[in-house]
Amino acid sequence: MKDPVDTLTPMGVMVLALLRESDMHPYEMVRLLRARHDDRLLTITNGTLYHTVSRLQKSGLLDEVGIDRDGNRPERTTYTLTDAGRCAVIAWVQRELPRVDHPTDFRIALAEAHNLERDDVIPLLGERRIALVEEHALHRDGLVKARAKGVPAQVLVEIERQEVLLDAELRWLDSLLTRLDADSLPWGPSAFTDSDRYLAQRKAAQQ
């Protein structure tokens, strides 16, 4: 039998992560994702999200907890996270956070990394740092060799860009790890507070 984590899509991870906060109906999920500007990470459409919810339910990662009808509005089915779904979010983030070959998935994993405890996140990011150092050295040394061989500069611009991006990410990652190590950055599910802005977002999304 296939591991549910292997079939999770980035959208599926974001849906499950939302349900870690509270039970919700899909319409609320869409509005909350857009209010938080998570559509900068992936395309969010009503059709895609409703299809994702259906797939997650069939996989046993979420379940229905009720159907509401308010006035002339269509019925809204509210979903809750199952134990399997809660574990799947954590397992997916743990798998994708250290990887350097899935850049899109990494952005989702990083956005949901606050669902992991500090002691889990630090070693995973440490693994990623090792992989980034190797990747950066490969691009840097490749550029040196190519230039020494007289390779035309115009065909090296993509490699130059990637080398710069890798260098920048390493500097950013070192800064993040320093803050995590020093406990100067509040982290983990228990460190998240229900701010007035957060509560206002939730209330607006429920309308």
Side-chain angles (χ1 to χ4, degrees), residues 150-174:
V151 175
Q154 62 264 39
V155 302
L156 298 176
V157 291
E158 190 280 327
I159 301 175
E160 289 177 349
R161 173 183 180 274
Q162 189 62 18
E163 190 272 332
V164 169
L165 291 176
L166 288 165
D167 179 66
E169 182 171 355
L170 275 168
R171 286 186 278 110
W172 164 81
L173 184 54
D174 284 342

Side-chain angles (χ1 to χ4, degrees), residues 98 100 126-142 162-163 166-167 170 173:
V100 296
E127 288 180 40
R128 180 175 184 84
R129 188 186 187 283
I130 292 171
L132 284 172
V133 167
E134 294 176 356
E135 191 80 4
H136 178 250
L138 184 67
H139 282 75
R140 182 195 60 214
D141 296 346
Q162 189 62 18
E163 190 272 332
L166 288 165
D167 179 66
L170 275 168
L173 184 54

Side-chain angles (χ1 to χ4, degrees), residues 51-163:
H51 177 69
T52 298
V53 167
S54 177
R55 289 181 68 249
L56 292 172
Q57 184 178 15
K58 289 177 182 176
S59 298
L61 302 181
L62 52 77
D63 203 2
E64 296 181 12
V65 288
I67 299 177
D68 300 320
R69 189 180 189 97
D70 186 6
N72 294 324
R73 293 176 178 172
E75 289 183 347
R76 292 178 177 174
T77 303
T78 300
Y79 294 89
T80 193
L81 192 63
T82 64
D83 289 340
R86 193 175 303 276
C87 292
V89 174
I90 299 302
W92 191 92
V93 173
Q94 288 174 330
R95 185 185 71 184
E96 296 300 328
L97 207 55
R99 300 186 64 164
V100 296
D101 57 338
H102 291 170
T104 300
D105 289 354
F106 169 70
R107 292 186 69 195
I108 305 296
L110 185 63
E112 301 301 344
H114 61 272
N115 289 292
L116 276 59
E117 297 296 342
R118 185 187 307 271
D119 290 344
D120 294 326
V121 167
I122 290 174
L124 291 170
L125 291 177
E127 288 180 40
R128 180 175 184 84
R129 188 186 187 283
I130 292 171
L132 284 172
V133 167
E134 294 176 356
E135 191 80 4
H136 178 250
L138 184 67
H139 282 75
R140 182 195 60 214
D141 296 346
L143 277 172
V144 171
K145 291 176 182 177
R147 287 165 179 159
K149 291 179 180 178
V151 175
Q154 62 264 39
V155 302
L156 298 176
V157 291
E158 190 280 327
I159 301 175
E160 289 177 349
R161 173 183 180 274
Q162 189 62 18
E163 190 272 332

